[in-house]
Amino acid sequence: MDHRISLITLAARDPEALAGFYEALGWQRVETVPGMVVFDLLGQAIGIYSRDALAEDMGVEPETLGHGAMTLAHNVGSAEEVDALMARAEAAGAKILRPGGGVHWGGHIGYFSDPEGHVWEIAHNPFSPLRAEDGAFRWRGY
């Protein structure tokens, strides 16, 4: 297995409402099959799919899906960008879990959950600068 993630699927009770949240953050849908919403990202995509349909695809009951203990991280180029994106997410309907602020390792982070409870970390890591031409992320930078 190659070390990459191609598609991250977010289960949603209301896929259209959740898609609207991400569109309010500036994301643009791409054409796909009915019943799924997809946003292309840099090197992968995020899909939004009905929670019940995802459980059916897996062969499990929807209540077994729960919420995993994980975050989706979005790195930006500065502490100011963290704060601006946190404000934009809140205005779009996110619940702020931790406002943007400094952390012990020298970065600046904040956490929010989208309307369906998926947790995002918005981070500026000065030790992992983003690639200038496209904003791509690598752990120790480019």
Side-chain angles (χ1 to χ4, degrees), residues 74 76 81-82 85-86 108-112 120-124:
H74 177 82
V76 295
E81 289 177 77
V82 170
L85 186 49
M86 293 293 293
H108 189 89
I109 65 170
Y111 287 94
F112 70 80
W120 284 85
E121 174 189 17
I122 307 303
H124 168 61

Side-chain angles (χ1 to χ4, degrees), residues 8-20:
I8 298 166
T9 301
L10 303 178
R13 289 174 183 82
D14 187 342
E16 280 301 316
L18 188 58

Side-chain angles (χ1 to χ4, degrees), residues 5-88:
I5 296 174
S6 303
L7 174 68
I8 298 166
T9 301
L10 303 178
R13 289 174 183 82
D14 187 342
E16 280 301 316
L18 188 58
F21 169 79
Y22 288 101
E23 288 171 326
L25 294 180
W27 292 17
Q28 296 180 1
R29 296 180 193 213
V30 297
E31 189 175 330
T32 189
V33 298
M36 185 159 194
V37 177
V38 174
F39 299 98
D40 278 336
L41 308 176
L42 182 65
Q44 61 263 123
I46 287 214
I48 299 175
Y49 197 44
S50 157
R51 184 178 177 81
D52 290 341
L54 183 61
E56 183 179 329
D57 284 355
M58 291 180 192
V60 300
E61 294 299 317
E63 58 273 4
T64 66
L65 294 180
H67 283 287
M70 63 169 274
T71 62
L72 300 165
H74 177 82
N75 281 54
V76 295
S78 70
E80 295 77 19
E81 289 177 77
V82 170
D83 296 337
L85 186 49
M86 293 293 293
R88 186 171 183 179

Side-chain angles (χ1 to χ4, degrees), residues 98-111 121 123-127:
R98 179 188 192 266
V103 288
H104 67 89
W105 50 266
H108 189 89
I109 65 170
Y111 287 94
E121 174 189 17
H124 168 61
N125 181 340
F127 309 107

